[in-house]
Amino acid sequence: MANKLLTARSAGQVGKQWPSNFVKCTESLTTRFNQPYNQQRALCEDPRVIGAWFERVQHMQAIYGILDEDTYNFNEAGFMIGKILS
């Protein structure tokens, strides 16, 4: 994204260490690493319970007018939703 913005301004490219330097200089940002999904936990998930939760989220979005682009792809622990490592 940074390179696209620079290209639009006819400027150069960011360096290889730019992302980590940007995070270090911005106090509100931190980095986290994904962890493998626990297979035993996955076997215990009930699709009906999960489906009901997503229906509730959609209901709340409709009530409060929350747009999909205002919803971010992270859970409360900071893990990307839908990204499961083996």
Side-chain angles (χ1 to χ4, degrees):
M1 178 59 102
N3 282 330
K4 287 184 180 183
L5 292 171
L6 290 172
T7 301
R9 295 181 176 106
S10 299
Q13 300 272 311
V14 296
K16 185 176 180 179
Q17 296 298 319
W18 181 85
S20 61
N21 291 335
F22 180 77
V23 171
K24 286 178 189 176
C25 294
T26 309
E27 291 181 18
S28 61
L29 296 178
T30 59
T31 56
R32 297 194 180 210
F33 295 96
N34 287 336
Q35 295 178 354
Y37 196 68
N38 185 315
Q39 183 65 28
Q40 200 63 28
R41 181 177 173 188
L43 295 173
C44 297
E45 292 178 345
D46 184 350
R48 291 173 293 168
V49 173
I50 294 170
W53 183 85
F54 279 103
E55 288 175 13
R56 186 171 180 178
V57 169
Q58 288 178 336
H59 180 70
M60 290 295 127
Q61 284 179 314
I63 288 175
Y64 294 106
I66 299 169
L67 302 174
D68 285 338
E69 46 278 2
D70 292 331
T71 304
Y72 297 90
N73 189 29
F74 288 89
N75 68 11
E76 67 279 356
F79 293 100
M80 292 184 72
I81 298 169
K83 298 291 182 186
I84 300 174
L85 300 174
S86 58

